[in-house]
Amino acid sequence: MTALEKATGDVVLKFEPFVLHVLCEELRDAQLLHSVAIDSGFRNSGITVGRGGKIMMAVRSTHCLEVPLSHKGKLMVSEEYIEFLIHVANRKMEENT
């Protein structure tokens, strides 16, 4: 709260979830890993094929959180709401683990 009170610009609370990048030798390996990731709840997972033919599988969850707290130095939410957001972010971190 002290840091927020001193802020003069925009402040955003942001939580980004676990991301695992796996370089795959064959496309079918990436497809298998993708299926396992999706079935395990990592809904934002995907496969990328680079120009050189590099096959990359990214395992990503949907546990993102991005909430504006202040704008131009003015706090836009209550301290109670910030405490709630911290609780939500900490829960997401536990799920991440």
Side-chain angles (χ1 to χ4, degrees), residues 69-83:
L69 301 178
S70 71
H71 179 64
K72 295 182 180 175
K74 181 183 177 200
L75 189 60
M76 304 302 288
V77 297
S78 69
E79 186 173 344
E80 180 182 6
Y81 185 65
I82 292 170
E83 289 173 12

Side-chain angles (χ1 to χ4, degrees), residues 10 19 23 26 35 58 66 72 82 86 90 93:
D10 296 352
V19 177
L23 183 61
E26 303 281 332
S35 294
E66 186 169 354
K72 295 182 180 175
I82 292 170
I86 291 168
N90 285 337
M93 181 63 85

Side-chain angles (χ1 to χ4, degrees), residues 29-68:
D29 298 330
Q31 290 169 324
L32 177 60
L33 181 56
H34 182 261
S35 294
V36 170
I38 295 295
D39 291 345
S40 298
F42 294 95
R43 303 279 181 236
N44 283 350
S45 298
I47 299 169
T48 305
V49 180
R51 288 186 194 140
K54 227 185 343 182
I55 303 165
M56 187 68 65
M57 169 53 204
V59 179
R60 291 178 287 228
S61 75
T62 57
H63 294 105
C64 297
L65 179 67
E66 186 169 354
V67 183

